Amino acid sequence: MSVRLKLALSYAGFLMLAVTLLLAVVWVFLLRYVPDTVLTVPQRGSPPGPFIPNRSDLLRAFAPRAAVVWALLLVTGLLGGWFLAGRMLAPLTRITDATRLAAAGSLSHRIRLPGRRDEFRELADAFDTMLARLEAHVAEQERFAANASHELRTPLSITRTLLDVARSDPDRDIGDLIDRLHAVNTRAIHLTEALLLLSRADQRSFTRERVDLSLLAEEAAEMLLPLAEGRGLTVETAGDISPTVGSHALLLQLTTNLVHNAIVHNLPDRGAVRVTTTVHPEAVVLIVENTGAPLAGHMVATLAEPFQRGGERARSSHAGVGLGLAIVRSIAHAHDGTLTLVPRPEGGLRVEVRLPTGTADRTR
């Protein structure tokens, strides 16, 4: 049976139960006290008094009419229950239709259930929110797949071109060819490793442990200090002990990416990078600031998108694969944190990663 039929039968059943209880009350508290003998009022010296109906008379007069009313109420209960059940389940029908459309691939459809806020309205709003997030996620994945295919196709195309040129020119310097192939292959390897790391962060397939964000900041700064000194930059670290819970390897990768970006995308000479960690009641914050050229707000908003590079990135000898900040954002989200990019008024960028504070080990 359908839910609508079950509800209709339930409504009719409750109505019949109420009528039956009412009749039982009439019997228990009224008719049972009426005697079942012939009742007359005796009068001295005259014929018997007026007739008074007894219990049997009342039952014969009342029972057929009660049965008719009971039958009418049964029919009314079934029809009214069917109508009321249909009205109540109408929002569920709209939600079911939207689910079928989503299952067929139409993620742009929204229920937008009108009316007052009740359980069905909350369910429909939650479903609309889920569809919106799913649509955005699918669009992001499609865009990422297209960009990744393009990025991976580039080194393969360059490799094929170099091999074709070498085949057509036997006198070409083999050493130069090997160096170019090595550089192209290295870039392809770095891109593949970045894609795997990004996928790992998105899937949250890692073990959580107690991590001190301030120690990771010092480790990343020490690791990249030779690169900073080679570019004439100063790196400064400061902050308090900042405990959080997450993957040590992924959070170290997050910190390293931020410090590396701050070093590479800096002033040509005498630039500076500042890495600080702070502790708040419910969060720990990692802030990486660097000097540099002024950045437009609309460009900063796209820097965390996969494969987004500014002009300076494309010209830099240390240009990455365009996934540095995208990996940072994915790692932050995988740890229930946030990433905020803000251009500095005097030039350069301020990056803030906010993560939940952690006091105990957890395993996902």
Side-chain angles (χ1 to χ4, degrees):
M1 292 188 297
S2 65
V3 176
R4 185 177 184 181
L5 180 58
K6 291 179 182 179
L7 287 176
L9 292 177
S10 300
Y11 296 153
F14 279 115
L15 180 61
M16 292 301 99
L17 179 62
V19 173
T20 303
L21 289 176
L22 179 61
L23 295 177
V25 169
V26 172
W27 168 258
V28 171
F29 293 100
L30 182 62
L31 293 181
R32 65 176 297 188
Y33 294 107
V34 178
D36 198 19
T37 58
V38 177
L39 300 177
T40 57
V41 178
Q43 297 182 0
R44 295 180 180 180
S46 63
F51 170 75
I52 299 177
N54 57 17
R55 185 192 306 167
S56 299
D57 297 329
L58 293 176
L59 287 176
R60 282 193 297 270
F62 178 73
R65 293 169 177 79
V68 172
V69 172
W70 195 89
L72 290 176
L73 288 177
L74 176 61
V75 175
T76 303
L78 289 173
L79 295 178
W82 181 264
F83 174 76
L84 292 176
R87 290 291 301 273
M88 291 190 63
L89 294 177
L92 190 59
T93 303
R94 294 183 59 174
I95 298 175
T96 303
D97 294 339
T99 305
R100 291 196 180 100
L101 289 175
S106 176
L107 300 178
S108 60
H109 178 74
R110 298 291 182 271
I111 302 174
R112 296 188 178 89
L113 191 66
R116 304 174 65 180
R117 180 168 295 277
D118 55 11
E119 288 81 357
F120 285 117
R121 174 71 181 277
E122 292 179 356
L123 176 61
D125 292 346
F127 191 80
D128 285 344
T129 302
M130 182 192 68
L131 281 180
R133 292 181 178 177
L134 185 60
E135 183 182 18
H137 180 71
V138 170
E140 182 179 354
Q141 291 298 318
E142 291 177 349
R143 185 170 61 253
F144 175 78
N147 291 333
S149 299
H150 174 75
E151 294 288 334
L152 287 172
R153 184 177 58 184
T154 300
L156 295 177
S157 300
I158 295 175
T159 300
R160 184 177 63 181
T161 301
L162 292 174
L163 293 175
D164 290 341
V165 171
R167 178 183 298 175
S168 61
D169 185 8
D171 299 330
R172 184 179 178 87
D173 185 6
I174 300 299
D176 179 65
L177 175 63
I178 292 176
D179 291 340
R180 292 194 178 190
L181 288 176
H182 182 270
V184 173
N185 186 64
T186 301
R187 176 176 174 79
I189 291 175
H190 290 167
L191 176 59
T192 304
E193 291 176 347
L195 290 172
L196 291 175
L197 180 61
L198 187 60
S199 174
R200 180 186 172 194
D202 287 338
Q203 295 176 3
R204 302 192 177 194
S205 55
F206 54 84
T207 301
R208 296 176 181 264
E209 57 183 328
R210 182 86 174 266
V211 179
D212 185 356
L213 206 58
S214 62
L215 294 180
L216 297 183
E218 293 179 0
E219 183 177 351
E222 182 178 356
M223 183 191 312
L224 295 171
L225 185 59
L227 176 61
E229 292 177 344
R231 298 173 64 90
L233 304 176
T234 60
V235 179
E236 179 184 353
T237 61
D240 304 324
I241 297 176
S242 305
T244 186
V245 175
S247 167
H248 181 278
L250 288 179
L251 291 176
L252 178 59
Q253 185 69 48
L254 176 148
T255 308
T256 303
N257 282 10
L258 290 180
V259 177
H260 182 270
N261 276 358
I263 294 174
V264 172
H265 311 299
N266 212 306
L267 295 175
D269 188 24
R270 296 185 179 181
V273 176
R274 179 176 175 81
V275 184
T276 58
T277 56
T278 58
V279 182
H280 298 278
E282 297 182 355
V284 294
V285 180
L286 170 66
I287 300 175
V288 179
E289 296 182 277
N290 65 282
T291 56
L295 299 174
H298 66 276
M299 186 185 73
V300 171
T302 64
L303 290 181
E305 295 295 327
F307 306 108
Q308 295 295 323
R309 302 185 184 90
E312 182 184 352
R313 295 187 177 199
R315 294 190 299 269
S316 173
S317 60
H318 294 277
V321 295
L323 291 173
L325 288 178
I327 291 175
V328 169
R329 184 179 64 176
S330 294
I331 294 175
H333 288 176
H335 289 78
D336 302 319
T338 59
L339 171 68
T340 305
L341 306 177
V342 180
R344 301 172 72 237
E346 60 273 22
L349 188 66
R350 182 182 189 272
V351 182
E352 177 182 303
V353 176
R354 183 178 293 266
L355 301 174
T357 184
T359 56
D361 295 350
R362 294 182 300 172
T363 301
R364 186 177 181 84

